[in-house]
Amino acid sequence: MGLIVTGDQFGVERSKDDAIQANVVANWRNARLQDMLMVVALLLLLLGYSLSAQAFTARDTGNEVTLDQVESGRLLWKPLVQDLHAGATNTATNVMRYKPATLLEEDVTINVSGLILTATLKQRFKNDSNEWLEAVYVFPLPENAALYQMEMRVGDRLIKGQVKEKSQAKKIYQNAKAEGKKAALVEQHRPNLFTNNIANIPPGETIEVMLEYNQVIRYDQGEFELRFPLTTTPRYFPGVAVSENGQRENVSMDEASAETIAHHINLQNPSTAIDTSTGWALPTTQVADAHQVSPFTIPLASMPVDTHKVTLTAEIDAGFPIDGVSSLSHQVEVLPAKSGYQIALKDGKSPMDRDFVLTWKPQVGAEPKAALFTEEWQGERYSLLMVVPPQQLPEEMVLPREQVFVIDTSGSMGGESIRQAKASLEKALMNLRSSDRFNVIEFNSYTHSLFQHSVPASQSNINEARNYVKNLQADGGTEMASALTAGFSGSIYPGYLRQVIFMTDGSVGNERALFNQIERELGDSRLFTIGIGSAPNSYFMRKAAEFGRGSFTYISNLNEVEVKLKKLFDKLRAPVLSNLAMNLVDDRGGVATTGKTNPAESYPNRISDLYLGEPLIQVIKHTKNGSMINLSANSVGMYQSQTPLWTQSINLQGAKQAKGIATYWGRQKIESLMDSGSLVSDADNQAQAKVRLRDQVIEVALKHHLVSPYTSLVAVEEVISRPEGAGLNKAAVPQLLPKGSTQKMARFPQTATSSQLYMLVGFLTLMLGMGMIFLNSARAPFSKQMMGAQSSAMSQ
């Protein structure tokens, strides 16, 4: 068929060709626009994620935030354009550092006398801005520390802190802050986690806060261990975000959404706003104070070199010859002193990015079998007792074991921690005997068991378990409750000793609920915790093992796995002593049994089973006519009897004098009260029990001048410093990300980067691009129809 060329028909054909061409061009432009939008969206999302996770990417200095641009109560950072301390060839020169408004330095001085450790901690906060600041610093202490003293140094002036009921102390602090007076407030949120608030720090000046605490040194397997925490691993908070009036917010809890959620909640409840300026999380249905225990954590590489450094010295007077003083966490110098040893950091200062750990051993032949110290305080007598039980069990007393290994594979275990945990579990599997049974359970946001129930420790089962462990990866949340239930449940195998070995960094915020769960579900199992990482949650490790009638172990680096696990496996063979009892005999020969209303009151008030190498530690308040302490146990190994199978007597008259025992006794009594209060299950009785518990704790804390869940330390300078009309900004002092953690565990304040803006624009662009694709797809049939009609017309 040829082309008919007439005037009108040609015009029609020409018009149709133009329409087709125009339609093709339009489609091509739309396709390219979609491509461009998708590319831009992906770039913005990747950029936002990168800034949020690491904040390493260089930022335009024109976007630098200044104090004038920041609302009161917001964290202030300023980027440092270049790292002057890095070498020209060092790739670190490209790392953007963020400088907090408040710089931090710590000096730690530790004295060990016998079993008692006394530590002085000086925290110096320097205002590196041009405005008046309130600094807020969440900091860790050892989980059994008795914090009893605070002094605030302002220039040459020294202001002593006082312990007050918590709400009263806070009111004193808030009034002083509003009046422009310098003030400091120390509050306890967990036994090992505190907050220091310092109000009205002048521009360019420094305020020093001195804290003092004591604790009992740990003695285990013939070795003393001193552990001083310098940072914390970011915690996981189960539940959903909730406002203070109880209204639930159906949102996920992560640092990326925290600021937006906080703003939303504050708009809804302006009179009871939740201050989230110092933490990355919000309260949840399961952790009401999540916003107070979620300090920002910044990688060391992102911090300037003039902040977050610690100097630490220690003096050890053990009371007997020692050797083998060493630290696996830091390089130290050990020098002989007049009555022991002096220890200092080899480099003088060290980044505050991991626990400081120091160990020492008695010389051979000088190992303590028993130790007793005493103190007279306010007319009362207090004693600290340590007794080392028998160290060996006959082989016939050892039963086959059912061992359930539970390994934490949550995101906080990323990096060095998961390597330590996998190496530990690998070692544990290789240690199984053919007569044992075992299972492996991993948990993060979900819990998964390798086998449906415990299986015999055959070589094929062990090989399958080793392959399973090799493929474990750290990711997701820390839903620990379901893992505990899985560990405690399962079939009972008569004649087997059931042991649950729990490997975790303990980075959770709902510790108390988990302790209650362990108490309810433990049954005949025993729980042994292994603290993994450079800054594990020591409070969870110790108390979980205590409620689980087991023991706890720390593994700080891969070099410790071999030695620490061998000691643990020796313990797991069997408890050495069970069903222990303690009685006090007075000078007339009468027996005063321990108890709250009796002449002798000792803590812990429930004596746990003792395992190989572990000593019995008791702190006792007793009458002055006490002359002897008798100890007994009705179970040795697997043998039980109605009559004592082991006894030991300690003469009180031969005790050495020591300071700090009364304070430590008060701290232990408060912990015992808190444990008893949390175990009341009935709702009505629980409310009444909480009131009684609060009153009892306050009474003990005020008498012994202790910080507790219901009391705080507050210090106020009576001079008004801040000029009338001058503003006051709040600045959170972050912690360093624990050494060895992956960068994605960093918790940056969103004000430190433009990540949210990038991610929001990226998301909107992505939605626009997807919308265009959808519209074009909907129009496609019409276009094809038109093109088909045009082809038909041309063929005629």
Side-chain angles (χ1 to χ4, degrees):
M1 182 173 61
L3 178 63
I4 302 173
V5 180
T6 62
D8 292 340
Q9 193 172 12
F10 178 78
V12 171
E13 297 295 336
R14 179 68 177 268
S15 175
K16 290 178 179 176
D17 287 345
D18 291 345
I20 293 171
Q21 185 67 25
N23 190 45
V24 171
V25 171
N27 287 338
W28 183 87
R29 288 177 176 170
N30 286 338
R32 299 293 76 75
L33 180 60
Q34 291 165 17
D35 293 342
M36 184 176 67
L37 287 173
M38 297 300 285
V39 169
V40 170
L42 290 174
L43 288 175
L44 287 170
L45 288 172
L46 288 173
L47 180 60
Y49 173 78
S50 176
L51 288 173
S52 178
Q54 301 185 24
F56 275 11
T57 308
R59 193 172 62 175
D60 182 0
T61 55
N63 293 331
E64 181 174 337
V65 180
T66 68
L67 268 174
D68 296 335
Q69 297 170 306
V70 177
E71 299 173 5
S72 177
R74 299 283 296 279
L75 178 65
L76 178 69
W77 297 79
K78 57 181 179 181
L80 302 179
V81 177
Q82 65 181 130
D83 181 8
L84 298 177
H85 296 271
T89 59
N90 191 338
T91 55
T93 53
N94 294 323
V95 172
M96 181 61 67
R97 296 177 184 271
Y98 292 91
K99 192 169 187 176
T102 309
L103 306 184
L104 171 69
E105 277 193 346
E106 283 192 2
D107 291 341
V108 182
T109 305
I110 295 173
N111 284 284
V112 178
S113 178
L115 299 176
I116 296 287
L117 176 153
T118 303
T120 302
L121 168 62
K122 294 179 180 177
Q123 300 173 337
R124 284 189 291 278
F125 302 91
K126 181 183 179 183
N127 180 356
D128 201 38
S129 71
N130 297 321
E131 302 286 339
W132 290 75
L133 282 184
E134 178 190 19
V136 182
Y137 178 44
V138 179
F139 65 99
L141 286 180
E143 79 282 357
N144 61 344
L147 179 57
Y148 56 87
Q149 186 167 319
M150 175 179 71
E151 293 180 347
M152 180 174 65
R153 181 178 293 279
V154 182
D156 296 332
R157 300 179 299 281
L158 199 63
I159 300 100
K160 285 188 175 293
Q162 296 295 320
V163 170
K164 302 285 185 184
E165 189 274 328
K166 197 166 193 174
S167 61
Q168 184 186 1
K170 192 157 193 168
K171 186 176 180 181
I172 292 172
Y173 173 81
Q174 295 289 2
N175 289 339
K177 182 175 76 171
E179 293 170 358
K181 298 176 180 176
K182 297 184 180 70
L185 172 70
V186 175
E187 297 177 300
Q188 175 183 321
H189 300 295
R190 298 288 186 279
N192 64 340
L193 199 62
F194 299 77
T195 296
N196 196 350
N197 299 263
I198 308 96
N200 293 309
I201 308 176
E205 293 193 16
T206 299
I207 289 181
E208 179 181 281
V209 177
M210 187 278 289
L211 303 170
E212 190 167 302
Y213 72 86
N214 73 17
Q215 66 175 122
V216 169
I217 285 287
R218 189 183 185 203
Y219 181 66
D220 186 25
Q221 303 272 17
E223 185 176 79
F224 289 90
E225 181 180 274
L226 179 165
R227 179 175 286 269
F228 184 83
L230 290 163
T231 189
T232 60
T233 302
R235 300 180 184 218
Y236 174 77
F237 303 108
V240 295
V242 61
S243 63
E244 284 192 345
N245 65 357
Q247 183 176 357
R248 296 186 179 187
E249 302 292 325
N250 189 20
V251 292
S252 61
M253 278 308 304
D254 56 54
E255 74 281 12
S257 58
E259 188 176 19
T260 302
I261 300 165
H263 180 66
H264 177 64
I265 292 178
N266 288 343
L267 286 177
Q268 288 185 325
N269 308 284
S271 60
T272 56
I274 299 171
D275 183 3
T276 58
S277 59
T278 56
W280 58 265
L282 282 177
T284 75
T285 49
Q286 295 188 37
V287 187
D289 62 349
H291 58 300
Q292 296 174 322
V293 294
S294 55
F296 302 111
T297 50
I298 314 296
L300 176 63
S302 294
M303 294 290 276
V305 296
D306 56 346
T307 187
H308 288 70
K309 295 292 178 60
V310 62
T311 61
L312 189 148
T313 59
E315 186 165 337
I316 299 173
D317 180 8
F320 46 80
I322 63 173
D323 56 18
V325 180
S326 63
S327 172
L328 277 178
S329 64
H330 293 72
Q331 290 188 322
V332 296
E333 288 184 341
V334 182
L335 299 172
K338 185 176 180 180
S339 56
Y341 291 91
Q342 286 186 333
I343 296 93
L345 296 177
K346 192 171 185 178
D347 297 328
K349 292 184 178 181
S350 175
M352 299 166 60
D353 62 351
R354 59 197 183 277
D355 291 359
F356 173 79
V357 183
L358 189 73
T359 59
W360 62 93
K361 298 177 181 177
Q363 289 183 2
V364 176
E367 297 89 348
K369 304 299 181 188
L372 183 67
F373 302 88
T374 190
E375 179 185 33
E376 296 281 340
W377 186 77
Q378 294 190 358
E380 296 173 320
R381 180 169 293 177
Y382 297 84
S383 294
L384 179 65
L385 172 67
M386 182 183 83
V387 175
V388 180
Q391 297 296 297
Q392 297 295 335
L393 277 178
E395 191 63 28
E396 61 269 22
M397 289 187 174
V398 179
L399 288 176
R401 302 163 299 181
E402 180 199 0
Q403 295 192 331
V404 180
F405 303 103
V406 185
I407 181 170
D408 180 353
T409 56
S410 63
S412 65
M413 291 284 290
E416 178 70 9
S417 295
I418 191 64
R419 288 190 286 274
Q420 292 174 18
K422 290 168 69 171
S424 301
L425 185 44
E426 171 89 8
K427 187 72 179 173
L429 291 170
M430 298 301 293
N431 187 67
L432 289 168
R433 299 171 301 184
S434 58
S435 58
D436 295 338
R437 303 182 70 90
F438 79 102
N439 200 353
V440 178
I441 298 172
E442 83 155 314
F443 74 95
N444 40 56
S445 298
Y446 305 95
T447 296
H448 177 260
S449 299
L450 172 60
F451 304 111
Q452 288 187 341
H453 50 75
S454 295
V455 296
S458 64
Q459 194 57 52
S460 61
N461 286 334
I462 291 176
N463 290 340
E464 184 177 352
R466 292 177 65 189
N467 288 331
Y468 178 78
V469 172
K470 286 179 182 175
N471 293 320
L472 293 177
Q473 302 292 329
D475 195 14
T478 315
E479 292 293 344
M480 198 174 284
S482 58
L484 286 169
T485 298
F488 295 143
S489 60
S491 303
I492 302 299
Y493 299 95
Y496 279 77
L497 195 64
R498 196 166 200 281
Q499 300 170 330
V500 178
I501 297 98
F502 210 87
M503 304 176 184
T504 177
D505 57 12
S507 297
V508 291
N510 59 332
E511 295 100 323
R512 184 58 66 179
L514 295 173
F515 299 154
N516 293 346
Q517 180 185 349
I518 294 170
E519 179 85 2
R520 291 194 310 270
E521 300 180 358
L522 182 66
D524 292 329
S525 302
R526 295 293 181 269
L527 178 64
F528 298 82
T529 57
I530 300 179
I532 300 290
S534 57
N537 182 353
S538 57
Y539 168 55
F540 175 81
M541 298 301 163
R542 182 176 67 85
K543 292 297 292 185
E546 184 178 316
F547 279 101
R549 300 182 63 186
S551 181
F552 63 97
T553 300
Y554 293 118
I555 295 179
S556 301
N557 63 56
L558 285 172
N559 295 328
E560 291 184 299
V561 171
E562 182 87 18
V563 175
K564 290 289 184 71
L565 285 188
K566 182 181 183 311
K567 292 180 178 179
L568 175 62
F569 297 144
D570 289 341
K571 283 185 184 179
L572 294 180
R573 292 164 65 88
V576 176
L577 297 178
S578 304
N579 300 323
L580 284 114
M582 184 177 72
N583 294 313
L584 176 73
V585 179
D586 61 29
D587 52 8
R588 293 172 295 183
V591 175
T593 56
T594 58
K596 296 180 181 179
T597 58
N598 289 316
E601 184 176 352
S602 64
Y603 297 100
N605 55 6
R606 184 178 61 177
I607 304 176
S608 301
D609 296 347
L610 291 184
Y611 293 85
L612 184 66
E614 290 187 345
L616 168 71
I617 301 277
Q618 287 280 290
V619 58
I620 314 156
K621 184 177 78 170
H622 55 87
T623 55
K624 293 182 180 179
N625 61 348
S627 63
M628 190 78 72
I629 293 176
N630 290 330
L631 296 166
S632 63
N634 287 0
S635 298
V636 175
M638 293 297 103
Y639 288 96
Q640 297 185 2
S641 171
Q642 297 297 321
T643 57
L645 296 174
W646 173 83
T647 61
Q648 187 160 350
S649 298
I650 296 96
N651 189 348
L652 284 170
Q653 305 305 318
K656 295 180 180 178
Q657 296 293 316
K659 293 182 179 179
I661 299 176
T663 301
Y664 187 71
W665 181 90
R667 163 66 177 75
Q668 292 301 99
K669 177 164 184 175
I670 289 173
E671 180 172 316
S672 178
L673 288 169
M674 295 302 296
D675 288 347
S676 64
S678 66
L679 297 178
V680 178
S681 57
D682 180 74
D684 294 334
N685 291 334
Q686 195 174 51
Q688 297 175 1
K690 282 186 176 180
V691 173
R692 289 196 301 273
L693 169 69
R694 180 180 178 279
D695 293 342
Q696 290 174 323
V697 170
I698 290 175
E699 180 182 358
V700 177
L702 292 178
K703 178 178 179 180
H704 291 270
H705 209 259
L706 286 168
V707 176
S708 73
Y710 303 117
T711 54
S712 305
L713 271 165
V714 61
V716 175
E717 186 189 39
E718 291 307 319
V719 178
I720 295 177
S721 301
R722 179 162 52 92
E724 187 174 354
L728 180 67
N729 291 292
K730 177 178 284 188
V733 182
Q735 297 182 356
L736 291 184
L737 186 67
K739 184 179 181 181
S741 299
T742 58
Q743 299 294 325
K744 68 179 182 180
M745 283 306 299
R747 294 293 184 265
F748 285 94
Q750 293 302 297
T751 49
T753 73
S754 303
S755 60
Q756 283 195 325
L757 176 61
Y758 287 124
M759 295 181 75
L760 176 61
V761 175
F763 177 75
L764 292 176
T765 308
L766 180 65
M767 291 297 101
L768 180 60
M770 293 180 67
M772 292 185 67
I773 292 174
F774 175 77
L775 287 175
N776 286 334
S777 299
R779 290 170 181 166
F782 176 74
S783 302
K784 290 179 179 177
Q785 187 176 17
M786 289 296 293
M787 293 180 69
Q790 184 64 34
S791 299
S792 176
M794 291 175 65
S795 64
Q796 292 174 357

